[in-house]
């Protein structure tokens, strides 16, 4: 990473201004064994390929020529796959961040703003409640809430997704202070409610609010419309009125709806809530929309005008953050002057759980 060689980074002992380090990187033991194994395996592959080439050169019939050629091609493909997988085994490392050291040098009020992007594309393949859960796990980060802005891009152009987020905006007022108070790690509500740590009368109350929100959204979806009894005020009515006849996911004007404004909206304990903005970009059958990349580009443009945070975090709708300290961990890299000027992005490892049958 950056101009520092990996070797220099291994010896990182001090952070900026000789403070304790913000992050360290350590080589994993037993790498030597991987390399020896790869060398032996590589020789075996080369010998096999050499054998195929020899047989090919000496083959006398068309049948043996074509069989050997197919074997050679197949083994070349397998060899390529094996070589590309070795990159991860040659120099495995473990990175560690020390947010406590960062907090000692940088005051919380001086942390940068954070614009969070979530994309969703289809309310039936990607149920709105799933996207809401993802968003809540990010809104509940351990970070000054008024510095967080969550932008949701809805390529499905669905009133149900907007309804789900209107409900989520209200639920956030209960969920965020609850997570803070209980210091919950998994801040995706449905993951928390199905975890063994979930048990207390307070948690039961929150679960009840969650279930009633979920019920309302799912009922509306089952009925196939957001009827009058889901709408609470004129502002909400005005938003849903944008779904005029002829509105389709592939052809409709832009909808941008601010659901939470961090300058005004507070949770039940009086803390400010993060910004929450619903965006469904304009679509037209005559111009390509470029899928997720197109959606992210639109969110970039919208967020630049609305909040323009120097840090952007993006997350697919089928993932969630299982560590509320993620923004601080990211800042451990972004605030390190030694790598800051060359740092483009920080990527966190993904852990796959509960993959559905379409995701293999
Ligand atoms: O027109 C589209 C299509 C997809 N998406 C979103 O893009 C994300 C990724 O789509 P998904 O169907 O989950 O694709 P996966 O194959 O699971 O995703 C992997 O592969 C994609 C590229 O194929 C990457 O963009 C993803 O980050 C990566 O997780 C999701 O949030 C979608 O809602 C849109 O916003 N608009
Ligand atoms: Mn996915």
């Amino acid at each position: 990473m950056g101009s520092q060689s990996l070797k220099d980074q291994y010896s990182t002992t001090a952070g900026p201004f000789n403070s304790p380090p913000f992050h360290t990187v350590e080589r994993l033991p037993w790498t030597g064994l991987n390399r020896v194994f790869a060398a032996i395996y590589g020789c075996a592959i080369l010998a096999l390929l050499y054998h195929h080439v020899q047989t090919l050169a000496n083959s006398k019939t068309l049948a043996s020529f074509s069989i050997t050629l197919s074997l050679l091609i197949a083994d070349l493909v397998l060899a390529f796959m094996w070589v590309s997988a070795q990159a991860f085994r040659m120099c495995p490392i473990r990175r560690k961040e020390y947010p406590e050291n960062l907090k000692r040098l940088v005051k919380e009020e001086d942390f940068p703003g954070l614009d969070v992007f979530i994309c969703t594309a289809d309310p039936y393949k990607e149920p709105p409640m799933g996207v809401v859960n993802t968003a809540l796990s990010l809104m509940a980060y351990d970070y000054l809430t008024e510095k967080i802005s969550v932008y949701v891009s809805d390529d499905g152009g669905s009133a149900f997704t907007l309804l789900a987020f209107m409900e989520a905006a209200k639920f956030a007022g209960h969920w965020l202070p609850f997570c803070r108070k209980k210091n919950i790690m998994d801040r995706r509500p449905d993951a928390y409610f199905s975890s063994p740590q979930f048990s207390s009368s307070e948690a039961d109350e929150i679960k009840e609010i969650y279930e009633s929100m979920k019920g309302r959204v799912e009922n509306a979806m089952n009925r196939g419309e957001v009827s009058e009894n889901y709408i609470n005020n004129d502002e909400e009515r005005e938003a849903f009125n944008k779904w005029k006849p002829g509105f389709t996911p592939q052809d409709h004007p832009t909808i941008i709806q601010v659901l939470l404004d961090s300058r005004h909206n507070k949770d039940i304990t009086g803390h400010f809530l993060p910004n929450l903005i619903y965006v469904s970009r304009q679509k037209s059958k005559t111009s390509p929309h470029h899928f997720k990349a197109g959606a992210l580009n639109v969110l970039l443009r919208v967020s630049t005008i609305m909040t323009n945070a120097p840090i952007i975090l993006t997350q697919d709708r089928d993932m969630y953050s299982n560590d509320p300290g993620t923004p601080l961990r990211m800042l451990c890299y972004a605030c390190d002057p030694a790598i800051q000027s060359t740092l483009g992005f920080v990527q966190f490892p993904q852990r796959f759980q509960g993959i559905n049958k379409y995701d293999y």
Side-chain angles (χ1 to χ4, degrees):
M1 195 188 280
S3 53
Q4 255 186 330
S5 74
L6 202 54
K7 194 160 165 260
D8 291 337
Q9 288 194 45
Y10 284 134
S11 54
T12 304
T13 49
F17 320 112
N18 279 335
S19 64
F22 288 177
H23 59 95
T24 54
V25 56
E26 150 199 15
R27 193 191 288 256
L28 294 183
W30 307 110
T31 307
L33 280 182
N34 283 348
R35 293 182 182 185
V36 171
F37 177 73
I40 297 171
Y41 201 93
C43 289
I45 291 180
L46 285 178
L48 180 67
L49 294 178
Y50 177 74
H51 171 74
H52 285 328
V53 172
Q54 284 279 315
T55 324
L56 200 62
N58 298 328
S59 55
K60 298 199 171 54
T61 63
L62 183 64
S64 82
F65 181 83
S66 34
I67 291 172
T68 316
L69 185 64
S70 344
L71 284 175
L72 176 63
I73 294 172
D75 280 333
L76 275 173
V77 171
L78 289 174
F80 173 75
M81 286 164 65
W82 178 80
V83 169
S84 24
Q86 292 317 298
F88 305 105
R89 303 215 170 100
M90 288 303 101
C91 190
I93 52 166
R94 182 183 294 132
R95 292 187 184 278
K96 254 190 173 169
E97 302 81 31
Y98 301 90
E100 61 281 9
N101 295 344
L102 173 75
K103 274 189 180 164
R104 247 177 258 156
L105 277 195
V106 187
K107 279 191 274 165
E108 229 183 325
E109 309 87 77
D110 294 336
F111 285 156
L114 187 64
D115 284 349
V116 180
F117 295 176
I118 307 167
C119 295
T120 183
D122 184 322
Y124 297 99
K125 288 189 196 145
E126 309 171 354
M129 280 316 293
V131 194
V132 156
N133 268 281
T134 300
L136 286 164
S137 79
L138 304 171
M139 289 164 76
Y141 272 149
D142 275 338
Y143 204 68
L144 275 186
T145 38
E146 56 268 38
K147 296 213 176 224
I148 303 181
S149 305
V150 175
Y151 291 85
V152 183
S153 154
D154 178 18
D155 268 355
S158 166
F160 303 124
T161 306
L162 177 61
L163 173 70
F165 274 92
M166 280 178 175
E167 294 287 332
K170 291 170 213 150
F171 179 67
H174 299 270
W175 180 242
L176 270 51
F178 176 75
C179 290
R180 258 197 311 269
K181 187 173 162 200
K182 302 271 175 190
N183 201 14
I184 292 168
M185 198 61 182
D186 247 349
R187 298 193 174 181
R188 182 185 166 103
D190 61 5
Y192 173 71
F193 294 135
S194 55
S195 72
Q197 41 166 324
F198 159 70
S199 64
S200 75
S201 60
E202 210 177 339
D204 281 332
E205 264 173 49
I206 300 278
K207 188 176 182 198
E208 218 167 280
I209 306 173
Y210 172 80
E211 292 296 340
S212 87
M213 145 171 96
K214 189 173 168 197
R216 270 196 299 281
V217 174
E218 289 176 352
N219 278 343
M221 286 192 80
N222 290 339
R223 285 163 176 232
E225 60 160 351
V226 179
S227 54
E228 193 58 30
N229 49 346
Y230 295 99
I231 300 175
N232 299 305
N233 52 47
D234 288 346
E235 203 189 327
E236 290 186 6
R237 185 165 300 107
E238 204 181 309
F240 287 114
N241 281 345
K242 291 177 182 157
W243 274 263
K244 295 202 167 67
F247 184 115
T248 67
Q250 298 78 29
D251 201 344
H252 67 84
T254 300
I255 298 175
I256 299 180
Q257 197 66 28
V258 177
L259 304 173
L260 287 174
D261 181 338
S262 68
R263 291 164 305 179
H264 308 299
N265 295 111
K266 292 182 175 172
D267 66 30
I268 54 164
T269 61
H271 265 81
F272 283 109
L273 284 161
N275 291 312
L276 177 63
I277 298 116
Y278 170 92
V279 179
S280 188
R281 61 186 164 134
Q282 180 185 13
K283 287 271 193 70
S284 135
K285 280 186 185 140
T286 52
S287 40
H289 59 76
H290 299 301
F291 306 92
K292 177 182 173 187
L296 288 177
N297 267 331
V298 168
L299 289 187
L300 262 180
R301 275 185 258 149
V302 173
S303 66
T304 304
I305 291 169
M306 296 182 92
T307 46
N308 202 22
I311 310 269
I312 291 171
L313 182 144
T314 157
Q315 168 101 63
D316 278 0
R317 52 87 212 171
D318 52 358
M319 299 276 160
Y320 73 99
S321 183
N322 61 358
D323 178 1
T326 300
L328 282 192
R329 291 188 189 283
M330 177 274 305
L331 284 185
C332 287
Y333 298 99
C335 293
D336 180 353
I339 58 168
Q340 207 169 37
S341 60
T342 48
L343 183 73
F345 66 89
V346 176
Q347 180 168 17
F348 288 89
Q350 289 187 352
R351 188 184 296 159
F352 294 92
Q353 268 170 356
I355 298 174
N356 72 31
K357 66 180 171 68
Y358 304 106
D359 261 347
Y360 287 105

